Amino acid sequence: MSTSRAISNRAIPIVMDAGALSDASVKAASHDHADDPSQPLAGPAPVFVMVGDTPIDEAEIAREMQFHRADNPHDARQAAATTLVIRELVRRECERLQLAVEALDGETEDEARVRALVDAEVPLPAADDAALLQYFEANRARLHHPDAIRVRHILLAAAPSDIAARRRAQQTGEELIGALRAEPDRFIEFAMRHSACPSRDQGGELGWIERGDTVPEFDRQLFMLKPGFAGLTVETRYGHHVVEVLERVDGEPLSFEDARDRITAYLETQAQQNALHQYLHILAQRYGVEGIALGD
């Protein structure tokens, strides 16, 4: 079900410099064309998206795009424009319902509006025992205590953009791995001498790590390793790591009672997201959205 009244099939130009558009808008408002009639009059930022009679111009979308990184700039624009449309729909509905909106600690005004509107208008169906048990039976393999590993490392630091430094870090790491294979007792010495991580003072020890405790790229590679030295360096945003897994414990399966709270939270979150999605469609139809589809 499309929520927009009119979606153009033509490609929307992607504005990458919101500041330039904003400057153009200001100049358009104050420009005295008689100063230089040979120059074209600067215009405001173009508008392809509307919520009711409220324009969401491309300068606003460009500013929002910085919070929606994507490989494809059109995907980033879509996400940014969708966020701005939802923000305006929520603002209008809170005003229509005259909801008292007061931000809690750490909340933005927009987040407070969403919370107030959800509390007032989007009922949260409770997951019953039958639904919990059905999910448990269908997902036993995924429901277990977290896997954990005890690991130590040597961080050979290099900035993500410094290609030469990263190559040097990788080369040094491979040399250290070769030396450690011959003399594994030198790990603490090498960590204290070479590592850029504060853990060097503990011989590179990071202690026990569960899934999700570290940055994603480190976490993902660590839990693919078996006990012992990693044969290659582990690359992260921080540089290259020489890694030794000292111990590994695979998480035990959870019983239904142990998993109940986790399943409840998951199912209630899913139910709330589905209900909110449907509610946003209703708001889009109520106020009218042009230039973008919020999805089916």
Side-chain angles (χ1 to χ4, degrees):
M1 177 180 66
S2 174
T3 58
S4 63
R5 292 203 303 253
I7 305 299
S8 172
N9 291 323
R10 70 184 187 279
I12 303 298
I14 301 298
V15 176
M16 301 307 292
D17 185 356
L21 275 179
S22 300
D23 292 345
S25 299
V26 172
K27 289 177 182 177
S30 61
H31 180 67
D32 182 0
H33 192 52
D35 290 346
D36 187 357
S38 66
Q39 297 299 315
L41 183 63
V47 173
F48 301 102
V49 179
M50 298 279 294
V51 178
D53 58 358
T54 300
I56 298 176
D57 66 40
E58 292 302 304
E60 292 179 82
I61 294 173
R63 284 190 291 272
E64 181 68 23
M65 279 175 64
Q66 65 182 306
F67 306 112
H68 304 273
R69 300 293 185 186
D71 292 336
N72 185 333
H74 288 277
D75 292 340
R77 180 193 177 277
Q78 174 75 15
T82 299
T83 297
L84 294 173
V85 165
I86 291 173
R87 187 177 298 165
E88 177 62 16
L89 290 172
V90 169
R91 184 193 68 78
R92 283 173 173 250
E93 188 67 0
C94 284
E95 287 188 358
R96 186 184 75 85
L97 296 173
Q98 298 182 324
L99 293 180
V101 176
E102 184 174 349
L104 303 176
D105 288 344
E107 262 188 340
T108 66
E109 187 175 353
D110 291 325
E111 290 168 341
R113 285 197 190 102
V114 171
R115 175 178 49 78
L117 192 57
V118 167
D119 289 347
E121 296 292 303
V122 184
L124 176 59
D128 58 26
D129 282 347
L132 297 178
L133 187 59
Q134 182 180 13
Y135 183 90
F136 175 77
E137 294 295 345
N139 295 275
R140 278 179 178 269
R142 298 168 52 193
L143 295 168
H144 53 80
H145 293 286
D147 298 335
I149 57 175
R150 188 165 69 89
V151 65
R152 59 184 179 180
H153 79 140
I154 300 168
L155 169 59
L156 305 164
S161 59
D162 193 336
I163 296 175
R166 294 184 81 82
R167 286 176 178 166
R168 289 194 298 271
Q170 181 179 12
Q171 182 178 356
T172 300
E174 290 171 353
E175 292 171 356
L176 290 175
I177 290 170
L180 287 168
R181 282 175 173 162
E183 300 179 271
D185 291 341
R186 299 187 68 187
F187 195 102
I188 293 175
E189 173 197 339
F190 287 167
M192 296 181 71
R193 185 190 305 173
H194 297 284
S195 183
C197 178
S199 66
R200 64 179 176 271
D201 295 334
Q202 288 78 46
E205 277 266 8
L206 294 175
W208 284 98
I209 294 175
E210 295 182 352
R211 289 186 186 273
D213 283 349
T214 70
V215 293
E217 67 271 24
F218 196 45
D219 186 274
R220 182 172 58 250
Q221 295 175 81
L222 280 184
F223 283 91
M224 294 174 62
L225 299 175
K226 297 178 180 179
F229 290 111
L232 299 172
T233 61
V234 174
E235 185 175 7
T236 70
R237 68 194 70 178
Y238 303 113
H240 283 260
H241 306 249
V242 175
V243 173
E244 181 182 9
V245 176
L246 301 172
E247 296 180 71
R248 179 182 180 120
V249 176
D250 293 329
E252 295 292 327
L254 289 170
S255 68
F256 175 67
E257 287 306 316
D258 288 339
R260 176 189 288 273
D261 288 346
R262 183 185 302 185
I263 297 172
T264 299
Y266 174 77
L267 293 181
E268 288 183 350
T269 298
Q270 290 295 106
Q272 187 176 60
Q273 288 177 345
N274 291 338
L276 182 58
H277 182 72
Q278 294 172 5
Y279 184 63
L280 288 171
H281 276 279
I282 293 171
L283 295 185
Q285 292 174 349
R286 174 173 294 156
Y287 294 108
V289 174
E290 298 181 8
I292 191 170
L294 295 185
D296 298 328

